[in-house]
Amino acid sequence: MSATPAPALPAADRPDVAASLRAALLSAEFSADGLLELLGAPAYAALARSETVPALRATRGDSPLEMLVRLFLLQQPVPRGLLVDVLPLDACLESGWLTSSGGSGGSGDSGDEVAATVDVRPYGGPDGEDWFIVSDLGCAVGGAGGIGSKDEGVVLGVGGASTTLAGITVRTPVASALDLGTGSGIQALHAAQHATRVTATDLNSRALHITALTLALSGAPAADLREGSLYEPVEGEADATYDLIVSNPPFVISPGARLTYRDGGMGGDDLCRSVVQGAGAHLNEGGYAQFLANWQHVEGEEWTDRLRSWVPRGCDAWIVQREVQDVTQYAELWLRDAGDHRTDPAEYAARYDAWLDEFEARKVRAVGFGWITLRKSDAAEPSVVVEEWPHPVEQPLGDTVRAHFERIDWLRAHDDAALLESSFKLSGEVVQEQVGLPGAEDPEHVVLRQGRGMRRATKVDTVGAGFAGVCDGTLSAGRILDAIAQLMGEEPVLLRDRTPAQIRTLVEQGFLEPVTPVG
């Protein structure tokens, strides 16, 4: 059975219509805040899980906002007469945002209905901006699992991966940004707020068209849209290097390329490796490249070593594994994503078998998911941190990511002698926990815990706890250690020799912040 052809998209060369439609949507309070107020938190959250019934129950009235939710989010036709005073109806029909779905087709027929040709989801920007993410029908309120789409070029809207990448991205002002595999354009939309020039690429021409619609409807500057795979669209260009590269690539490790948005078409995790390794040649000095990725856990190989081998020369890296799934969990996740669980049981079993055959052939026992950040430093000894952190974090993390690399630079520039001459401050919202048996005179160990950002927790010894507790930026590290040595009856020289490694760890992980060295 052949897939149904994808419906025609609204015209991307009508900024006047996009502007008037945007004004009408905002006038009706069709925004992230308006949606939450109308639907309530449970129905609003259900939409993110691809469940539309609660939202349908909450939009039974005929207020402008309820009609717009039914029209643009829930794929429900709405009587033309009810929209005449809400939307620039004729312009939206003529330019393809809406289509007639019933009645005689005459504009004066109040019984005629109109339907949306694309989904439009309100999306709140980081500074309260009212944005709109355009996607294919049925793709605005969750992943493809909510629609069971079999169209190879289907373009999804906002998902958890999209918002995760947007949250971890460093948001300093830059001259140029590259959104690799732009999809619905959410990363390009964010980048347009702090980059003078935004280039967005995608193998799927339909995705580029939808990105143009997303930017126009959100009132953002247009991007330079280029069709092609990975870095091919910008190879050989005079301006082919960037201050920021972001990508939520088709990272799924699958036995074939069925869906363009998720299946990269390369074997195993080769696509993610190619995206990461290729970034080095396209980054300006000091520039960041930030990706979401999946990677294989292969028998007989440390996954951390695998990822270290991906890091291009001249780049520092911070790689965080957020989740690991065994091969059966992973296969089931993406089979459901494509709606295969709703197909014939024999067909589902055959597809499941193909996934497991692929993993068995590659000796893959599990798949990791996480974040990869590169920073072009050209340092003689690059810093490559690969860690597992499955615990809750506080988004957005862009400032946390930037601060990590700034601390790496500081540590690289200060040997142990310079470190001991420097002073530090305890980072904000760090608390100390003492763990031990009730009634014991001394704790078994002391834990420092962050209340923000990565929300790390780290064990420290008595010296480390005492040192961190008095760091307020006024005394050098060496003077603090001398005082601790006197209190503990230790030799100051020995304490100065053995403590810098612990201080470096506390700085690297963000528990301590270096201040101006004591002169």
Side-chain angles (χ1 to χ4, degrees):
M1 182 177 177
S2 60
T4 303
L9 294 171
D13 58 353
R14 292 294 304 274
D16 57 325
V17 178
S20 58
L21 175 56
R22 171 178 171 79
L25 296 178
L26 294 178
S27 178
E29 298 184 351
F30 186 64
S31 64
D33 289 341
L35 204 61
L36 180 59
E37 184 174 351
L38 171 68
L39 301 180
Y44 187 83
L47 283 179
R49 303 191 300 270
S50 309
E51 298 292 349
T52 59
V53 172
L56 284 167
R57 291 172 61 86
T59 55
R60 291 169 172 169
D62 58 2
S63 71
L65 180 54
E66 288 170 291
M67 288 185 291
L68 292 176
V69 172
R70 292 203 301 270
L71 182 68
F72 285 117
L73 277 179
L74 304 178
Q75 302 179 72
Q76 301 296 305
V78 174
R80 179 192 296 255
L82 295 179
L83 292 172
V84 169
D85 296 327
V86 178
L87 296 175
L89 203 54
D90 289 341
C92 287
L93 286 164
E94 183 268 330
S95 61
W97 287 95
L98 301 175
T99 184
S100 294
S101 65
S104 64
S107 61
D109 184 354
S110 62
D112 188 20
E113 292 184 323
V114 297
T117 58
V118 289
D119 275 354
V120 176
R121 177 172 175 175
Y123 178 76
D127 295 315
E129 301 96 340
D130 287 314
W131 292 339
F132 300 98
I133 307 300
V134 180
S135 63
D136 271 318
L137 287 173
C139 297
V141 293
I147 56 173
S149 175
K150 299 297 188 292
D151 182 62
E152 180 182 358
V154 67
V155 179
L156 267 61
V158 180
S162 303
T163 55
T164 294
L165 179 58
I168 67 172
T169 301
V170 176
R171 297 296 176 193
T172 52
V174 295
S176 57
L178 171 64
D179 177 12
L180 201 71
T182 186
S184 62
I186 180 174
Q187 309 305 330
L189 178 57
H190 276 278
Q193 311 309 304
H194 64 103
T196 304
R197 173 174 61 92
V198 176
T199 301
T201 72
D202 205 291
L203 184 65
N204 183 1
S205 60
R206 189 174 182 86
L208 295 174
H209 191 133
I210 284 180
T211 290
L213 298 175
T214 289
L215 295 173
L217 195 58
S218 297
D224 179 5
L225 303 177
R226 303 190 186 187
E227 184 176 349
S229 177
L230 301 181
Y231 296 98
E232 289 176 3
V234 298
E235 295 287 3
E237 299 286 334
D239 55 354
T241 56
Y242 301 86
D243 302 311
L244 174 66
I245 299 173
V246 291
S247 184
N248 177 19
F251 53 64
V252 177
I253 299 171
S254 57
R258 293 176 58 204
L259 297 166
T260 303
Y261 77 88
R262 70 167 208 188
D263 301 317
M266 296 185 184
D269 52 16
D270 282 354
L271 184 131
C272 289
R273 176 185 54 79
S274 298
V275 169
V276 175
Q277 289 183 336
H282 294 89
L283 274 179
N284 291 325
E285 180 71 19
Y288 288 91
Q290 299 188 258
F291 312 105
L292 299 187
N294 282 187
W295 44 79
Q296 299 172 150
H297 285 226
V298 180
E299 291 180 17
E301 175 188 75
E302 289 292 334
W303 68 270
T304 54
D305 292 340
R306 185 180 194 84
L307 289 172
R308 287 177 184 277
S309 73
W310 290 9
V311 178
R313 294 183 63 180
C315 290
D316 296 325
W318 184 19
I319 302 172
V320 182
Q321 180 167 274
R322 296 287 290 155
E323 184 179 0
V324 180
Q325 291 186 329
D326 68 47
V327 292
T328 60
Q329 291 174 308
Y330 190 80
E332 290 161 13
L333 169 67
W334 296 110
L335 287 166
R336 288 189 173 89
D337 172 80
D340 291 327
H341 59 303
R342 297 192 179 99
T343 63
D344 175 71
E347 182 181 348
Y348 174 82
R351 291 192 183 280
Y352 198 152
D353 225 17
W355 283 73
L356 297 186
D357 283 345
E358 177 79 4
F359 286 132
E360 184 176 348
R362 295 180 177 277
K363 298 183 178 181
V364 176
R365 55 182 176 79
V367 177
F369 170 85
W371 320 323
I372 298 176
T373 299
L374 308 177
R375 199 272 307 266
K376 188 71 171 288
S377 67
D378 286 329
E381 296 184 12
S383 167
V384 178
V385 177
V386 184
E387 63 175 324
E388 185 167 19
W389 189 253
H391 310 293
V393 298
E394 183 187 50
Q395 284 274 35
L397 279 168
D399 287 345
T400 299
V401 173
R402 176 182 50 78
H404 167 86
F405 289 96
E406 289 176 349
R407 292 193 302 268
I408 291 297
D409 280 345
W410 190 94
L411 289 169
R412 195 155 41 203
H414 290 74
D415 60 17
D416 285 355
L419 181 144
L420 292 173
E421 293 175 359
S422 302
S423 55
F424 302 88
K425 290 191 303 183
L426 189 66
S427 300
E429 298 194 32
V430 172
V431 297
Q432 175 180 304
E433 300 174 358
Q434 299 189 106
V435 181
L437 294 174
E441 184 175 343
D442 296 312
E444 293 178 16
H445 57 263
V446 177
V447 174
L448 298 181
R449 188 179 301 277
Q450 298 169 344
R452 304 189 64 181
M454 291 293 287
R455 293 179 174 170
R456 295 184 184 278
T458 188
K459 290 183 182 179
V460 291
D461 60 18
T462 304
V463 172
F467 180 87
V470 297
C471 279
D472 61 2
T474 60
L475 295 175
S476 70
R479 290 182 63 186
I480 293 174
L481 291 178
D482 290 345
I484 291 174
Q486 185 175 7
L487 288 171
M488 298 179 64
E490 288 199 29
E491 179 61 44
V493 173
L494 296 178
L495 198 60
R496 280 173 172 256
D497 284 344
R498 67 179 174 87
T499 308
Q502 187 172 192
I503 296 175
R504 287 184 179 276
T505 298
L506 293 176
V507 172
E508 180 183 306
Q509 295 186 349
F511 290 94
L512 294 177
E513 299 174 0
V515 298
T516 304
V518 176

